[in-house]
Amino acid sequence: MTTDPEGFLDTVGRMVTGWAWLPADPGRRLRVEVLFGASSMRRAKPVETLADRHRSDLEAAGKGDGRCGFAVPVPAALAEREHVVDVRLPDFPDVRLRGTPRRAIVTLGLVTLRAVHPTDADVERLRAFLVGMVQLNDGSADTAVPAAADLRAWLAGEDRCWLVAERDGHIVGHCRIDPDWPARPGSGTLALGIELHPDVRGLGLGRQLMLAAHRWATGRCARLELAVLPHNAHALALYRGLGYVDLGPAALPETGEIHRRMGIKLPGMCGPDRAVTLVS
Ligand SMILES: CC(C)(COP(=O)(O)OP(=O)(O)OC[C@H]1O[C@@H](n2cnc3c(N)ncnc32)[C@H](O)[C@@H]1OP(=O)(O)O)[C@@H](O)C(=O)NCCC(=O)NCCS
């Protein structure tokens, strides 16, 4: 059994919430220090708390008795300002809590949606983003992120497009369209997959990125299809809101995990390839 604590920073915004526990000593309530920072001010004083709140989801997930959640309100001076949140465990100074650091975004501002170019520099930018996303979820970037040469080869295909959303010069989300699963070969269908950095979720960007993907696909395929886990309520709300219809269950080829296949018919006209700028 690992002697390091486990934990996750779940939300930032009005409240900073997360959990931390020590599998080797499940009855111990860990000390947590939440650090707030904004570019225009000195780092605010850290807020100390205990990870001792009961959460039924944590109990159900086998995190001891589930009394390992923490919740800290954002200092009033920062509530309406963009700021960075980090979490430390003072008794385990070398441990980084998964999901940290995070940025609390009040207004999305200017976001550019564009296709990735098959240049070395752009491919490296995309790779860096994908590696960051895998690390955020505690996965292994070595196996989960394709090598730069494979990404360049992927981008050379005509029946595919990799869109990214950029904010302040950083990639914050991506959406891929290609002929892979759950699209069926020869059906005139392409498949779509989307993922945003947690900092920019829930602000309408997913919808805009999907609409940009639809514009790219219009005239190139008759339908788009995707696969979504049945409990992913947020993604389901997005897809249903855009007009995707349920096409029944589909097992992920690699693992057999049951997803819900959804699809949308596209209009027949051809859309221009263009960068889209979103302002909110
Ligand atoms: C799913 C995802 C792409 C959605 O993008 P987003 O920018 O966060 O979503 P939006 O803000 O555009 O909101 C889309 C819809 O979800 C609804 N929604 C927002 N937050 C939600 C939440 N926490 N739970 C359920 N629905 C939610 C919104 O009301 C909106 O519906 P509306 O257009 O009818 O108002 C994004 O959250 C994400 O990357 N999630 C993690 C990766 C993932 O699940 N990818 C999809 C795999 S199939």
Side-chain angles (χ1 to χ4, degrees):
M1 180 180 287
T2 173
T3 50
D4 277 345
E6 286 179 13
F8 197 79
L9 172 57
D10 289 312
T11 66
V12 295
R14 286 185 190 289
M15 295 290 288
V16 175
T17 66
W19 58 273
W21 80 303
L22 192 58
D25 187 1
R28 177 170 168 189
R29 309 301 167 198
L30 298 182
R31 291 196 302 141
V32 171
E33 199 175 64
V34 182
L35 297 97
F36 295 93
S39 53
S40 55
M41 65 181 285
R42 282 214 335 261
R43 202 173 255 275
K45 198 168 167 293
V47 178
E48 280 206 31
T49 188
L50 265 191
D52 63 353
R53 292 190 173 212
H54 180 261
R55 275 179 36 183
S56 47
D57 60 322
L58 296 174
E59 189 175 353
K63 308 299 176 195
D65 58 7
R67 284 185 53 209
C68 52
F70 64 85
V72 165
V74 173
L78 285 173
E80 298 303 323
R81 303 165 61 173
E82 187 158 325
H83 57 271
V84 175
V85 179
D86 209 346
V87 177
R88 296 283 150 77
L89 304 175
D91 299 318
F92 299 88
D94 297 332
V95 170
R96 304 284 309 168
L97 209 63
R98 273 195 300 138
T100 58
R102 289 276 308 275
R103 181 170 287 271
I105 292 176
V106 181
T107 308
L108 201 49
L110 192 68
V111 176
T112 300
L113 309 182
R114 66 172 180 85
V116 175
H117 306 298
T119 59
D120 288 352
D122 221 21
V123 165
E124 275 316 320
R125 283 165 60 75
L126 175 63
R127 275 204 90 241
F129 170 71
L130 297 175
V131 167
M133 292 295 287
V134 170
Q135 286 170 346
L136 208 56
N137 295 313
D138 217 16
S140 163
D142 291 345
T143 49
V145 178
D150 294 335
L151 282 175
R152 271 195 302 276
W154 190 98
L155 290 165
E158 288 196 347
D159 53 356
R160 58 199 60 203
C161 176
W162 208 317
L163 294 172
V164 286
E166 281 180 317
R167 180 180 191 264
D168 283 344
H170 298 286
I171 297 178
V172 291
H174 69 128
C175 181
R176 223 168 60 166
I177 309 160
D178 59 37
D180 295 341
W181 184 85
R184 291 170 178 160
S187 64
T189 301
L190 290 176
L192 179 150
I194 182 169
E195 186 183 22
L196 304 184
H197 190 281
D199 290 349
V200 295
R201 291 178 194 166
L203 298 168
L205 181 55
R207 187 180 165 81
Q208 295 301 324
L209 196 49
M210 295 281 292
L211 290 173
H214 290 187
R215 280 194 290 277
W216 181 87
T218 297
R220 291 184 164 94
C221 62
R223 302 170 47 77
L224 281 172
E225 286 184 12
L226 52 82
V228 54
L229 286 167
H231 58 258
N232 192 343
H234 191 161
L236 283 165
L238 172 63
Y239 304 148
R240 288 196 180 117
L242 286 166
Y244 280 75
V245 293
D246 209 320
L247 301 170
L252 185 69
E254 294 84 16
T255 62
E257 192 172 14
I258 296 300
H259 286 60
R260 198 174 252 172
R261 218 172 107 239
M262 300 183 85
I264 191 169
K265 189 172 178 313
L266 296 173
M269 63 191 223
C270 209
D273 278 339
R274 58 171 186 254
V276 180
T277 298
L278 164 71
V279 186
S280 70

